[in-house]
Amino acid sequence: MPGTGGEEALRQQYVLGEEIGHGRFGVVRRCYSAATGEALAVKSTPKAPLRDKSDPLDLALAEQEPKVHLLASAPPCSPHVVALHAAFEDAHAVHLVIDLCDGGDLFSLISARGRLLPEHEAARIAAQLASALAACHRRGVAHRDVKPDNLLFDAATGALKLGDFGSAEWFGDGRAMSGLVGTPYYVAPEVVAGREYGEKVDVWSAGVVLYMMLSGTVPFYGATAPEIFEAVLRGTLRFPPRAFASVSPEAKDLVRRMLCRDVSRRLSAEQVLRHPWIVSRGGNAVAD
């Protein structure tokens, strides 16, 4: 996989198209392989804004993203992980050529529906997400920013794919991770507390996503980031009757086991896949 040459080398191998998305640090454009015509996407992250920030962690994560993403998605990888096809880097930017997921993201799906997802659909999505996380964790990669915006759909197949490995970290040699990384509503309490942590932070975040799919709201709320963090640290999990009136006990049991403050008792991604609610409602996604 190319690792140098920057945008000039990128343009020699890919035809760049229109912008299809943007995030905190860069843009995503449609692109096409010059050799095969395959439609893909390229995520470009300029380094200058990251150097200007006071937190050097952002630049370090951007520079390590190609290595960690490749480790997570190298064949044979999970069909629910966005694959990295090529990487180009120079002094100015990092460019990652990835799967084109033009079916939108989970946040857009929920917003467009204007209503909650039925349990069978929420279970199918949760199963695919757990499958992606289990595959990453087996390779020693923690995503660390699981949220609806990073859960993308393949328009052709409808499959969910876990994308954006910009906050991901490798823990494969048994090392503990640290640092306040992630998005406030979805971040695990051990991350907020400033402790060292492991890959189960992803399961907590996935539990928040599941809670949101079932209820239309987040389990730990605050008007500001500090207030959200306080709510996460308290970890008081409630199922308001109005929001959860039609949600099955089995679904709520899985949420409880994913949003468990005691990390030793929190389910792993593999255990989520074996939960009775996922097995009975998740369909063939469990077998992926």
Side-chain angles (χ1 to χ4, degrees), residues 41 53 65 78 108 120 123 136-137 167 200 207 217 280 283-284 287-288:
K53 289 174 64 68
E65 182 179 359
S78 166
S108 300
H120 72 274
C136 291
H137 295 171
S167 298
K200 285 187 179 180
T217 186
S280 63
N284 58 11
D288 289 339

Side-chain angles (χ1 to χ4, degrees), residues 1-4 66-67 69-70 73-75 83-88 95-97:
M1 176 178 294
T4 59
K67 302 181 184 71
H69 194 163
L70 177 60
S73 70
L84 175 64
H85 296 265
F88 303 86
H95 306 279
L96 305 181
V97 179

